[in-house]
Amino acid sequence: ISLLKTSRTSCAAGSFFFRFSDAIAACQSATEAKTNGQLCLQADGSVKRADPHSAFAQMVVPEPEEDPEEELRRLREARKAQLRNEETWKKQGHGSLRELKDEKEFLQII
């Protein structure tokens, strides 16, 4: 209320500054409440209220069972085998198209 009685320029600047600082304080308190009060799932299946940025710092992360490089190598080998199989089929005449003139030619091919 006292800000409204001052001059127009100081009132505008003062009220803006006052509102901005209130907004900053509200955002900071909301952020603190949010990070300090989140529910975090624990390794044993229980749930506790904690900061999510630090709640998992002590957890042990299991190692992946298979190395990603080994998995890629295995997939490449499987794809190569599939392509070799397709090559064999194509050499035997499978997987190719050709146009037939009539039904007699179809019966001769079969």
Side-chain angles (χ1 to χ4, degrees), residues 32-51:
E32 288 173 8
K34 181 180 177 185
T35 57
N36 291 335
Q38 288 188 0
L39 297 176
C40 298
L41 182 65
Q42 302 300 306
D44 62 355
S46 64
V47 177
K48 85 174 193 182
R49 190 170 298 274
D51 178 16

mmCIF file of all heavy atoms in Angstrom, residues 32-51:
data_model
loop_
_atom_site.group_PDB
_atom_site.id
_atom_site.type_symbol
_atom_site.label_atom_id
_atom_site.label_comp_id
_atom_site.label_asym_id
_atom_site.label_seq_id
_atom_site.Cartn_x
_atom_site.Cartn_y
_atom_site.Cartn_z
ATOM 1 N N GLU A 32 12.636 -26.808 -3.704
ATOM 2 C CA GLU A 32 13.118 -27.520 -2.525
ATOM 3 C C GLU A 32 12.098 -28.553 -2.060
ATOM 4 O O GLU A 32 12.447 -29.678 -1.719
ATOM 5 C CB GLU A 32 13.418 -26.533 -1.403
ATOM 6 C CG GLU A 32 14.656 -25.707 -1.646
ATOM 7 C CD GLU A 32 14.832 -24.611 -0.599
ATOM 8 O OE1 GLU A 32 14.064 -24.602 0.391
ATOM 9 O OE2 GLU A 32 15.720 -23.780 -0.780
ATOM 10 N N ALA A 33 10.829 -28.170 -2.046
ATOM 11 C CA ALA A 33 9.787 -29.098 -1.616
ATOM 12 C C ALA A 33 9.675 -30.275 -2.573
ATOM 13 O O ALA A 33 9.458 -31.414 -2.162
ATOM 14 C CB ALA A 33 8.449 -28.377 -1.514
ATOM 15 N N LYS A 34 9.853 -29.987 -3.841
ATOM 16 C CA LYS A 34 9.731 -31.042 -4.849
ATOM 17 C C LYS A 34 10.865 -32.046 -4.726
ATOM 18 O O LYS A 34 10.658 -33.253 -4.750
ATOM 19 C CB LYS A 34 9.717 -30.415 -6.241
ATOM 20 C CG LYS A 34 9.561 -31.411 -7.356
ATOM 21 C CD LYS A 34 9.550 -30.711 -8.693
ATOM 22 C CE LYS A 34 9.469 -31.699 -9.830
ATOM 23 N NZ LYS A 34 9.573 -31.066 -11.129
ATOM 24 N N THR A 35 12.103 -31.575 -4.622
ATOM 25 C CA THR A 35 13.241 -32.493 -4.591
ATOM 26 C C THR A 35 13.415 -33.158 -3.241
ATOM 27 O O THR A 35 13.905 -34.272 -3.163
ATOM 28 C CB THR A 35 14.547 -31.760 -4.964
ATOM 29 O OG1 THR A 35 14.736 -30.672 -4.070
ATOM 30 C CG2 THR A 35 14.513 -31.283 -6.382
ATOM 31 N N ASN A 36 13.028 -32.511 -2.165
ATOM 32 C CA ASN A 36 13.194 -33.118 -0.850
ATOM 33 C C ASN A 36 12.065 -34.073 -0.510
ATOM 34 O O ASN A 36 12.203 -34.875 0.397
ATOM 35 C CB ASN A 36 13.284 -32.030 0.228
ATOM 36 C CG ASN A 36 14.566 -31.248 0.111
ATOM 37 O OD1 ASN A 36 15.543 -31.747 -0.405
ATOM 38 N ND2 ASN A 36 14.556 -30.013 0.570
ATOM 39 N N GLY A 37 10.968 -33.993 -1.202
ATOM 40 C CA GLY A 37 9.833 -34.774 -0.797
ATOM 41 C C GLY A 37 9.350 -35.789 -1.807
ATOM 42 O O GLY A 37 8.220 -36.227 -1.705
ATOM 43 N N GLN A 38 10.147 -36.176 -2.769
ATOM 44 C CA GLN A 38 9.675 -37.135 -3.756
ATOM 45 C C GLN A 38 9.778 -38.548 -3.213
ATOM 46 O O GLN A 38 10.663 -38.873 -2.422
ATOM 47 C CB GLN A 38 10.483 -37.019 -5.044
ATOM 48 C CG GLN A 38 10.167 -35.777 -5.815
ATOM 49 C CD GLN A 38 10.840 -35.774 -7.175
ATOM 50 O OE1 GLN A 38 11.543 -36.698 -7.539
ATOM 51 N NE2 GLN A 38 10.616 -34.728 -7.928
ATOM 52 N N LEU A 39 8.861 -39.395 -3.657
ATOM 53 C CA LEU A 39 8.900 -40.796 -3.267
ATOM 54 C C LEU A 39 9.871 -41.531 -4.178
ATOM 55 O O LEU A 39 9.786 -41.446 -5.390
ATOM 56 C CB LEU A 39 7.504 -41.406 -3.372
ATOM 57 C CG LEU A 39 6.453 -40.800 -2.447
ATOM 58 C CD1 LEU A 39 5.095 -41.424 -2.735
ATOM 59 C CD2 LEU A 39 6.832 -40.984 -1.007
ATOM 60 N N CYS A 40 10.800 -42.242 -3.553
ATOM 61 C CA CYS A 40 11.828 -42.964 -4.313
ATOM 62 C C CYS A 40 11.736 -44.448 -3.995
ATOM 63 O O CYS A 40 11.691 -44.842 -2.830
ATOM 64 C CB CYS A 40 13.212 -42.444 -3.947
ATOM 65 S SG CYS A 40 13.435 -40.707 -4.338
ATOM 66 N N LEU A 41 11.719 -45.265 -5.023
ATOM 67 C CA LEU A 41 11.678 -46.710 -4.873
ATOM 68 C C LEU A 41 13.068 -47.209 -4.509
ATOM 69 O O LEU A 41 14.056 -46.858 -5.150
ATOM 70 C CB LEU A 41 11.214 -47.362 -6.178
ATOM 71 C CG LEU A 41 11.071 -48.867 -6.180
ATOM 72 C CD1 LEU A 41 9.968 -49.283 -5.211
ATOM 73 C CD2 LEU A 41 10.753 -49.365 -7.570
ATOM 74 N N GLN A 42 13.152 -48.024 -3.480
ATOM 75 C CA GLN A 42 14.423 -48.559 -3.019
ATOM 76 C C GLN A 42 14.690 -49.922 -3.642
ATOM 77 O O GLN A 42 13.797 -50.530 -4.226
ATOM 78 C CB GLN A 42 14.420 -48.664 -1.490
ATOM 79 C CG GLN A 42 14.172 -47.339 -0.802
ATOM 80 C CD GLN A 42 15.220 -46.307 -1.152
ATOM 81 O OE1 GLN A 42 16.410 -46.554 -0.992
ATOM 82 N NE2 GLN A 42 14.790 -45.159 -1.659
ATOM 83 N N ALA A 43 15.903 -50.403 -3.514
ATOM 84 C CA ALA A 43 16.297 -51.680 -4.115
ATOM 85 C C ALA A 43 15.520 -52.857 -3.527
ATOM 86 O O ALA A 43 15.247 -53.832 -4.221
ATOM 87 C CB ALA A 43 17.786 -51.906 -3.918
ATOM 88 N N ASP A 44 15.132 -52.761 -2.252
ATOM 89 C CA ASP A 44 14.398 -53.859 -1.624
ATOM 90 C C ASP A 44 12.899 -53.801 -1.898
ATOM 91 O O ASP A 44 12.145 -54.625 -1.400
ATOM 92 C CB ASP A 44 14.654 -53.882 -0.119
ATOM 93 C CG ASP A 44 14.179 -52.604 0.571
ATOM 94 O OD1 ASP A 44 13.748 -51.663 -0.127
ATOM 95 O OD2 ASP A 44 14.255 -52.560 1.813
ATOM 96 N N GLY A 45 12.448 -52.817 -2.691
ATOM 97 C CA GLY A 45 11.042 -52.709 -3.039
ATOM 98 C C GLY A 45 10.270 -51.732 -2.173
ATOM 99 O O GLY A 45 9.115 -51.442 -2.443
ATOM 100 N N SER A 46 10.895 -51.223 -1.135
ATOM 101 C CA SER A 46 10.215 -50.252 -0.278
ATOM 102 C C SER A 46 10.266 -48.868 -0.924
ATOM 103 O O SER A 46 11.029 -48.624 -1.855
ATOM 104 C CB SER A 46 10.875 -50.210 1.101
ATOM 105 O OG SER A 46 12.210 -49.742 0.983
ATOM 106 N N VAL A 47 9.446 -47.977 -0.392
ATOM 107 C CA VAL A 47 9.381 -46.619 -0.904
ATOM 108 C C VAL A 47 9.702 -45.668 0.234
ATOM 109 O O VAL A 47 9.196 -45.831 1.352
ATOM 110 C CB VAL A 47 7.969 -46.305 -1.461
ATOM 111 C CG1 VAL A 47 7.873 -44.866 -1.918
ATOM 112 C CG2 VAL A 47 7.646 -47.247 -2.602
ATOM 113 N N LYS A 48 10.576 -44.689 -0.029
ATOM 114 C CA LYS A 48 10.858 -43.700 1.002
ATOM 115 C C LYS A 48 10.930 -42.320 0.367
ATOM 116 O O LYS A 48 11.222 -42.173 -0.814
ATOM 117 C CB LYS A 48 12.127 -44.051 1.767
ATOM 118 C CG LYS A 48 13.424 -43.595 1.152
ATOM 119 C CD LYS A 48 14.577 -43.869 2.082
ATOM 120 C CE LYS A 48 15.813 -43.126 1.620
ATOM 121 N NZ LYS A 48 16.975 -43.389 2.435
ATOM 122 N N ARG A 49 10.658 -41.312 1.168
ATOM 123 C CA ARG A 49 10.689 -39.935 0.711
ATOM 124 C C ARG A 49 12.142 -39.461 0.791
ATOM 125 O O ARG A 49 12.763 -39.503 1.839
ATOM 126 C CB ARG A 49 9.784 -39.078 1.592
ATOM 127 C CG ARG A 49 9.554 -37.704 1.061
ATOM 128 C CD ARG A 49 8.474 -36.993 1.835
ATOM 129 N NE ARG A 49 7.177 -37.638 1.761
ATOM 130 C CZ ARG A 49 6.284 -37.435 0.797
ATOM 131 N NH1 ARG A 49 6.551 -36.603 -0.163
ATOM 132 N NH2 ARG A 49 5.126 -38.064 0.798
ATOM 133 N N ALA A 50 12.678 -39.011 -0.352
ATOM 134 C CA ALA A 50 14.078 -38.600 -0.394
ATOM 135 C C ALA A 50 14.322 -37.710 -1.604
ATOM 136 O O ALA A 50 13.447 -37.522 -2.448
ATOM 137 C CB ALA A 50 14.980 -39.827 -0.459
ATOM 138 N N ASP A 51 15.521 -37.191 -1.671
ATOM 139 C CA ASP A 51 15.953 -36.401 -2.816
ATOM 140 C C ASP A 51 16.333 -37.376 -3.928
ATOM 141 O O ASP A 51 17.219 -38.210 -3.741
ATOM 142 C CB ASP A 51 17.159 -35.541 -2.430
ATOM 143 C CG ASP A 51 17.705 -34.731 -3.592
ATOM 144 O OD1 ASP A 51 16.998 -34.592 -4.608
ATOM 145 O OD2 ASP A 51 18.833 -34.229 -3.478
#
